[in-house]
């Protein structure tokens, strides 16, 4: 994981992806490796794959949102996260009805500790789209985060 993170910070995304995939071979439940792969997928515009990775994380590690408040804490590479989020936000400006992308944005923002923005992203989902585990976990994390920051 550490080698993959160094490669990612250096901008060597294909090599970083390979390292994270190797980590998943050793431990298929490694939420940190799945999170990094999801981030790489977001940065490449592969939103469905990123959402699938985050779904797997939440299913196998329900405490994922609670483990750390920020992806930045892990990577120490805000540029990587910010670039990925900027691309996702551009996609949503072009395709504002892409509810999967709104859910993905909300989950990433909640993970980054940006609870107000995450809550705003979730308001874009229709009620029929608010039924899955990731949505429920994201909403719970946002509620807890907003409660903690309001104290």
């Amino acid at each position: 994981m550490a080698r993959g993170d160094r490669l990612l910070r250096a901008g060597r995304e294909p090599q970083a992806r390979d390292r994270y995939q190797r980590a998943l071979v050793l431990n298929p439940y490694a939420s940190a490796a799945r999170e990094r792969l999801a981030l790489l997928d977001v940065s490449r515009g592969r939103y469905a794959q990123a959402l699938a990775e985050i779904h797997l994380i939440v299913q196998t590690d329900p405490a994922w949102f609670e483990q750390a408040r920020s992806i930045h804490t892990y990577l120490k590479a805000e540029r990587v996260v910010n670039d990925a989020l900027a691309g996702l936000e551009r996609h949503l400006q072009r395709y504002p009805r892409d509810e999967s992308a709104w859910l993905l944005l909300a989950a990433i923002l909640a993970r980054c500790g940006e609870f107000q923005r995450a809550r705003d992203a979730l308001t874009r989902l229709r009620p029929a789209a608010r039924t899955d585990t990731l949505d429920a976990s994201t909403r719970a994390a946002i509620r807890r985060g907003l409660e903690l920051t309001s104290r």
Side-chain angles (χ1 to χ4, degrees), residues 4-146:
D5 289 348
R6 282 193 300 275
L7 290 165
L8 185 58
R9 281 193 303 273
R12 298 173 60 192
E13 292 181 12
Q15 294 90 344
R17 178 179 294 280
D18 180 59
R19 288 294 175 160
Y20 299 140
Q21 288 171 335
R22 287 184 193 187
L24 284 176
V25 168
L26 296 173
N27 178 4
Y29 302 106
S31 56
R34 286 201 186 282
E35 180 176 48
R36 286 358 175 260
L37 287 171
L39 182 63
L40 288 170
D41 286 336
V42 169
S43 70
R44 291 289 175 225
R46 295 187 287 243
Y47 305 124
Q49 294 93 323
L51 190 60
E53 289 290 351
I54 291 179
H55 268 288
L56 282 171
I57 293 168
V58 171
Q59 289 172 352
T60 59
D61 187 3
W64 176 66
F65 280 111
E66 304 304 317
Q67 292 169 355
R69 274 292 149 230
S70 176
I71 299 171
H72 304 249
T73 304
Y74 289 143
L75 297 179
K76 297 180 182 63
E78 290 186 20
R79 179 193 56 77
V80 174
V81 176
N82 291 339
D83 289 351
L85 284 174
L88 180 54
E89 288 170 337
R90 280 191 303 274
H91 169 80
L92 286 166
Q93 287 173 353
R94 279 183 292 211
Y95 306 102
R97 293 186 181 188
D98 186 348
E99 292 187 341
S100 295
W102 283 111
L103 180 56
L104 178 62
L105 178 64
I108 292 171
L109 288 172
R111 181 69 170 157
C112 289
E114 297 194 29
F115 302 109
Q116 187 64 45
R117 286 180 63 200
R119 185 172 65 180
D120 292 345
L122 281 181
T123 63
R124 303 298 294 259
L125 297 179
R126 289 176 296 147
R130 298 178 183 176
T131 58
D132 71 7
T133 307
L134 178 57
D135 177 60
S137 298
T138 303
R139 288 179 188 284
I142 291 168
R143 258 193 317 279
R144 284 189 300 276
L146 289 173

